[in-house]
Amino acid sequence: MRAFLSMVRANLKMQVRNRTALFWLLAFPALFILLFGFLFKNNSDITVSVGVVNGNSTPVAAQMTKAMQKSSFFKVQRSGDREAELKKLEQGDVDAVLVFPERASPGRPLHVTSYVDRSRVSTSQAVSAALQQIADRFNQGPERGPRLISLDTRGVQSHHLSTIDYLVPGFVAMSIMQNGILGLSAAFVALRERGVLRRIRMTPFPLVSFIGARIVSNLIVVLCQVGILLGMARALFDLRVGGDIVSVATGVAVFSLLGALAFLAIGFFVAGISRKVESANTLGNLITFPMLFLTGIFFPINQAPQWMQEVSKALPLSYLADGLRQAMVYGTPFTHLWTDAAALLATALLGLILAVRFFRWDAGAN
């Protein structure tokens, strides 16, 4: 029995000393709780801005507009210009547009059209459900008369945009980040632990060439990785792209390479300050996991608290996901995405400087 208890005590000590195991046991679930807690703790206070066109054209339109204004969920912006409101929706200035007809047809329900951005999945679903609820209240009122409102919901931004069209660029960005930070840092630290870097230093082959070859091979892997993921999404889920295929492919390739360079630089920095593979994995996860949930790759970040949205602007994955999404889904020309490109390039340069500063030939070096 004493030997058994000693073994239990030894196993507990080993688990406590294993930082990787502690990360997955405690830090990882705690991180999820904190992130989702901050993201959704104020959900009851969410408001959406709706551009209302012809809100006073008929008595029913006026009543429905008034009902929306009384709701804390809607922030109503009245307008008489349908095209101007739809332009605001495309630019993200409003969350939805509600268009009432200029006049009612006698004996028929008022045909109301709502427009939502289907690429903003959660917002479009919430707005559509809330508008339908108001319309149902009118149609199922106490008088039980004929139906008063017929609500038709339409999507904008892309005629065929689906949820998977929005998510795939984020998944691609995520895979590039993980390959650059987690994949490279662990592999490089493993090479250093086995003394490969020290032996290369003793050979005529320059280390710079060795690192350059590693970067080039990773860039080739990233391009293949992106091609396989997009091809799979296209084959299985009918992934659609905006714009002509040449400009889309160029934009996706450029942002994939810029993103790979940025995250490879961070990966080299992580490898430089990590003495063991376990340390590299832990630090890499600490860097990547917050970005997974603070950069809008799974859902729009615009519903998060304002301070969290500001934090996301400092994370390079935000710019990679946005650049890929804009180039692939909306067909935005590369010349209009210079902010995303510049942010990734700046991340790559900063990561390179830090990687050079903390580079070590072997595990024992400072």
Side-chain angles (χ1 to χ4, degrees):
M1 187 63 182
R2 181 176 298 176
F4 176 78
L5 293 176
S6 298
M7 184 59 68
V8 170
R9 216 165 26 243
N11 282 322
L12 288 174
K13 286 182 179 177
M14 282 191 290
Q15 292 214 8
V16 169
R17 291 171 182 169
N18 189 334
R19 284 177 290 183
T20 302
L22 285 178
F23 175 82
W24 289 106
L25 283 172
L26 296 176
F28 182 66
L31 195 60
F32 267 73
I33 292 172
L34 290 174
L35 289 173
F36 279 97
F38 282 125
L39 281 171
F40 299 115
K41 72 174 183 179
N42 294 325
N43 256 10
S44 57
D45 299 329
I46 286 177
T47 59
V48 295
S49 57
V50 180
V52 176
V53 180
N54 301 326
N56 287 322
S57 60
T58 68
V60 174
Q63 290 179 32
M64 185 168 178
T65 303
K66 191 174 180 180
M68 292 172 61
Q69 289 176 318
K70 287 183 178 179
S71 169
S72 60
F73 181 71
F74 293 107
K75 182 180 179 183
V76 174
Q77 301 177 16
R78 291 175 177 269
S79 172
D81 191 337
R82 174 180 173 275
E83 298 305 321
E85 291 303 312
L86 291 179
K87 189 68 177 177
K88 289 182 182 177
L89 178 61
E90 292 180 356
Q91 294 174 346
D93 295 332
V94 295
D95 298 306
V97 174
L98 194 65
V99 180
F100 292 98
E102 295 182 353
R103 62 185 63 85
S105 301
R108 293 186 176 181
L110 191 68
H111 186 74
V112 184
T113 305
S114 68
Y115 296 88
V116 295
D117 183 354
R118 294 201 187 281
S119 65
R120 298 158 64 185
V121 182
S122 56
T123 303
S124 64
Q125 291 177 346
V127 172
S128 300
L131 290 175
Q132 187 61 55
Q133 191 175 17
I134 293 178
D136 290 342
R137 284 212 305 266
F138 276 83
N139 293 330
Q140 301 169 3
E143 297 179 358
R144 286 290 181 184
R147 192 162 66 127
L148 297 178
I149 295 175
S150 169
L151 183 62
D152 178 28
T153 301
R154 301 178 184 178
V156 298
Q157 295 277 12
S158 171
H159 296 298
H160 305 288
L161 187 64
S162 64
T163 302
I164 198 69
D165 298 333
Y166 175 85
L167 291 175
V168 165
F171 292 152
V172 171
M174 178 186 68
S175 66
I176 292 174
M177 176 187 70
Q178 291 181 322
N179 178 60
I181 297 180
L182 298 176
L184 182 132
S185 61
F188 214 75
V189 172
L191 290 175
R192 192 169 57 208
E193 282 185 329
R194 294 201 299 267
V196 175
L197 297 185
R198 190 171 58 250
R199 290 198 293 273
I200 290 176
R201 189 183 185 186
M202 308 304 291
T203 68
F205 190 72
L207 182 66
V208 174
S209 299
F210 175 77
I211 295 176
R214 182 83 189 195
I215 292 175
V216 171
S217 64
N218 268 274
L219 295 180
I220 294 173
V221 169
V222 163
L223 289 178
C224 296
Q225 179 186 22
V226 172
I228 291 171
L229 291 175
L230 296 184
M232 183 184 70
R234 172 68 177 175
L236 298 179
F237 305 110
D238 195 25
L239 174 71
R240 298 176 187 278
V241 298
D244 65 278
I245 191 65
V246 175
S247 61
V248 169
T250 302
V252 170
V254 169
F255 274 102
S256 297
L257 293 176
L258 286 175
L261 286 173
F263 291 116
L264 284 172
I266 297 176
F268 276 116
F269 167 63
V270 172
I273 62 176
S274 302
R275 292 183 180 275
K276 297 181 178 179
V277 173
E278 290 83 0
S279 303
N281 286 329
T282 301
L283 182 56
N285 283 314
L286 286 174
I287 294 174
T288 57
F289 272 112
M291 285 198 272
L292 291 179
F293 302 102
L294 295 176
T295 54
I297 63 171
F298 298 126
F299 44 79
I301 196 65
N302 59 352
Q303 293 187 4
Q306 186 62 36
W307 68 266
M308 197 172 285
Q309 296 183 38
E310 296 300 324
V311 170
S312 73
K313 295 177 183 175
L315 303 177
L317 187 60
S318 296
Y319 299 96
L320 177 56
D322 184 67
L324 287 173
R325 186 171 292 122
Q326 292 290 338
M328 190 163 66
V329 177
Y330 304 128
T332 305
F334 180 75
T335 52
H336 295 177
L337 302 173
W338 63 269
T339 304
D340 293 327
L344 292 172
L345 197 57
T347 302
L349 292 175
L350 178 61
L352 180 62
I353 293 171
L354 292 174
V356 172
R357 167 65 182 80
F358 293 98
F359 177 80
R360 286 185 294 180
W361 290 97
D362 54 59
N366 294 321

